[in-house]
């Protein structure tokens, strides 16, 4: 039956002119609409739509004007079904328009590492102007930025926990030593973790993908072929830790590691509280730099052994990492440079 023929049949049904056989076709379509729709909705969302259909039907019935001259005739179940199907058809048109308009914009299936997103995956698109939170069944949380989309299963049942991301998001992953958590991006870049928190940022203009770590460790690599195995980490994987980021540049197919723009104190795994104060009194530069390294989980190196003779006095508690380094270097007439994930202190040192 063509779409035009079905439209005529539906109009005929709503007018009450269908034969029993035609009526059966329409009713079967109605019953299958909610459960067999291709629109990616969870079972709870489908139940909510069906509930709204009937709520609208009964609201329409209750709004029908009733006068004292006109006897009230109870609405028959057959009429209710006709109204419900009318509401269902309207919802189908609206949902189809919404799905098509957003799907074309945020569902680049062919770009996802040359593999299709599993058919049983649910889909969430953030159309708002603020971050939206998606909680996965393992307790992991995805904070999806505006315009982003994430594909995920209702239940993680395989050897790994795989999700697919289009756009930008912050992930807080529940630790599970038996199942790695894997984020696939539309450019073919994969971020794989056990339990950690990290950002995945996508630059649409340049197609660059940036992964930065807040806690834990993340392995980032490119999955070049459709059938590449991800059971073990590929040789080209990059391991990044807190306050580090890796950027994939598609123009030269290269990963570039560096520090994040604003490194934050890393919460200690032992007591859960980072050092709160940076007050030094004639403290050796070696000890000052060691405190910064431990607090921010970074590496700081000096290019001159005479820096061991330097001392620092001051309160740099309120400054961020780079402001702290500016003050320290100014006090000893030195400078610093960030190369990759390491900070280098340069100068003559102290006598």
């Amino acid at each position: 039956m063509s779409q035009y023929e079905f439209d005529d049949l539906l109009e005929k049904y709503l007018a009450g002119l269908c034969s029993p056989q035609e009526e059966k076709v329409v009713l079967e379509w109605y019953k299958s609409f909610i459960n067999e729709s291709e629109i990616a909705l969870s079972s709870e969302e489908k139940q909510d739509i069906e509930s709204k259909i009937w709520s609208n039907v009964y609201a329409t019935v209750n709004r029908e004007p009733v006068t004292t001259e006109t006897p009230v005739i109870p609405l028959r179940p057959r009429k209710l079904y006709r109204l419900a199907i009318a509401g269902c058809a309207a919802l189908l048109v609206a949902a189809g328009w919404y799905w098509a308009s957003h799907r074309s914009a945020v569902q680049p299936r062919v770009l996802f590492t040359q593999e299709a997103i599993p058919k049983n995956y649910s889909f969430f698109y953030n159309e708002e102007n603020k971050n939206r939170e998606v909680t996965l069944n393992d307790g992991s949380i995805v904070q999806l930025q505006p315009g982003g989309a994430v594909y995920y299963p209702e239940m993680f049942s395989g050897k790994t926990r795989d999700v697919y991301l289009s756009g930008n998001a912050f992930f807080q992953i529940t630790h599970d030593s038996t199942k790695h958590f894997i984020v696939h991006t539309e450019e073919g870049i994969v971020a794989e973790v056990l339990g950690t928190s990290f950002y995945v940022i996508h630059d649409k203009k340049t197609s660059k993908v940036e992964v930065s770590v807040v806690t834990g460790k993340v392995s980032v690599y490119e999955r070049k072929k459709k059938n590449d195995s991800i059971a073990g980490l590929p040789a080209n994987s990059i391991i990044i830790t807190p306050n580090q980021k890796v950027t994939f540049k598609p123009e030269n197919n290269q990963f570039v590691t560096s520090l994040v723009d604003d490194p934050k104190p890393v919460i200690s795994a032992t007591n859960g509280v980072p050092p709160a104060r940076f007050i030094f009194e004639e403290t050796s530069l070696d000890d000052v730099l060691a405190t910064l390294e431990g607090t921010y989980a970074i590496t700081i190196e000096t290019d001159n052994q005479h820096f061991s003779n330097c001392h620092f006095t001051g309160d740099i508690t309120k400054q961020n990492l780079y402001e702290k380094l500016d003050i320290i270097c100014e006090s000893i007439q030195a400078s610093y440079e960030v190369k990759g994930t390491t900070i280098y202190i340069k100068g003559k040192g102290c006598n």
Side-chain angles (χ1 to χ4, degrees):
M1 181 182 296
S2 69
Q3 183 63 50
Y4 293 107
E5 291 174 332
F6 183 80
D7 290 344
D8 290 338
L9 179 60
L10 185 59
E11 185 176 350
K12 187 176 179 182
Y13 176 86
L14 294 175
L17 301 175
C18 275
S19 67
Q21 185 176 1
E22 291 173 331
E23 185 173 284
K24 182 179 179 182
V25 172
V26 177
L27 291 176
E28 286 178 351
W29 169 81
Y30 168 74
K31 292 176 182 177
S32 65
F33 168 72
I34 292 297
N35 294 325
E36 298 177 8
S37 170
E38 292 182 357
I39 299 175
L41 299 171
S42 66
S43 57
E44 291 80 10
E45 289 171 328
K46 290 180 179 179
Q47 291 174 2
D48 183 57
I49 287 177
E50 187 170 17
S51 176
K52 287 179 179 179
I53 290 173
W54 286 105
S55 295
N56 289 334
V57 169
Y58 285 112
T60 301
V61 173
N62 291 333
R63 285 197 302 267
E64 291 183 357
V66 178
T67 64
T68 56
E69 290 91 12
T70 304
V72 178
I73 302 175
L75 200 61
R76 294 177 298 170
R78 187 181 301 272
K79 180 66 178 299
L80 279 176
Y81 262 100
R82 290 198 184 103
L83 289 173
I85 289 175
C88 185
L91 279 178
L92 176 61
V93 173
W97 172 84
Y98 177 89
W99 181 252
S101 61
H102 288 82
R103 184 176 184 177
S104 60
V106 300
Q107 190 181 9
R109 288 180 181 271
V110 295
L111 299 180
F112 274 87
T113 62
Q114 304 179 33
E115 60 182 333
I117 298 172
K119 293 182 179 180
N120 63 335
Y121 269 41
S122 296
F123 166 77
F124 183 85
Y125 169 70
N126 185 7
E127 60 178 338
E128 299 186 12
N129 293 324
K130 61 181 181 180
N131 291 355
R132 290 292 305 274
E133 194 171 280
V134 180
T135 301
L136 307 179
N137 85 287
D138 66 342
S140 298
I141 296 174
V142 183
Q143 292 183 9
L144 199 61
Q145 294 185 15
V150 63
Y151 302 80
Y152 58 94
E154 291 191 11
M155 181 74 66
F156 290 112
S157 57
K159 294 181 179 179
T160 56
R161 296 172 288 168
D162 295 77
V163 300
Y164 296 78
L165 173 70
S166 174
N168 304 332
F170 175 65
F171 292 84
Q172 293 175 283
I173 306 305
T174 301
H175 182 83
D176 185 346
S177 60
T178 64
K179 288 186 179 182
H180 285 206
F181 191 98
I182 301 176
V183 179
H184 303 259
T185 70
E186 54 192 294
E187 293 78 14
I189 304 306
V190 179
E192 183 171 345
V193 302
L194 286 176
T196 183
S197 57
F198 60 98
Y199 287 94
V200 178
I201 303 298
H202 167 227
D203 188 330
K204 292 184 178 180
K205 293 183 179 179
T206 62
S207 293
K208 292 181 181 178
V209 180
E210 178 183 293
V211 179
S212 58
V213 178
V214 177
T215 61
K217 294 181 179 179
V218 177
S219 172
V220 182
Y221 53 91
E222 182 184 12
R223 190 176 181 188
K224 297 181 179 180
K225 299 178 181 179
K226 178 178 179 180
N227 295 321
D228 278 353
S229 171
I230 54 178
L233 296 181
N236 67 336
S237 65
I238 305 293
I239 305 295
I240 52 176
T241 55
N243 287 324
Q244 295 181 355
K245 67 179 181 180
V246 60
T247 303
F248 177 74
K249 298 183 177 180
E251 63 269 19
N252 52 16
N253 203 41
Q254 186 179 28
F255 286 103
V256 178
T257 57
S258 59
L259 293 178
V260 297
D261 297 335
D262 184 16
K264 301 295 184 182
V266 177
I267 296 176
S268 171
T270 55
N271 55 27
V273 180
R277 296 165 65 87
F278 291 86
I279 301 176
F280 303 100
E281 182 69 34
E282 280 299 307
T283 306
S284 70
L285 182 64
D286 289 342
D287 289 342
V288 173
L289 297 182
T291 300
L292 293 178
E293 286 182 312
T295 301
Y296 293 92
I298 58 176
T299 300
I300 303 176
E301 296 184 1
T302 58
D303 68 348
N304 191 325
Q305 61 181 0
H306 293 296
F307 277 117
S308 297
N309 300 324
C310 297
H311 293 77
F312 175 74
T313 297
D315 183 354
I316 51 176
T317 301
K318 296 182 179 180
Q319 287 73 20
N320 64 36
L321 173 62
Y322 295 127
E323 291 171 341
K324 288 178 170 66
L325 289 170
D326 288 335
I327 295 172
I328 293 170
C329 288
E330 185 177 355
S331 71
I332 58 175
Q333 297 183 338
S335 63
Y336 73 90
E337 182 181 6
V338 180
K339 289 185 177 181
T341 58
T342 302
I343 297 175
Y344 294 89
I345 306 293
K346 298 181 178 182
K348 296 181 179 180
C350 304
N351 297 325

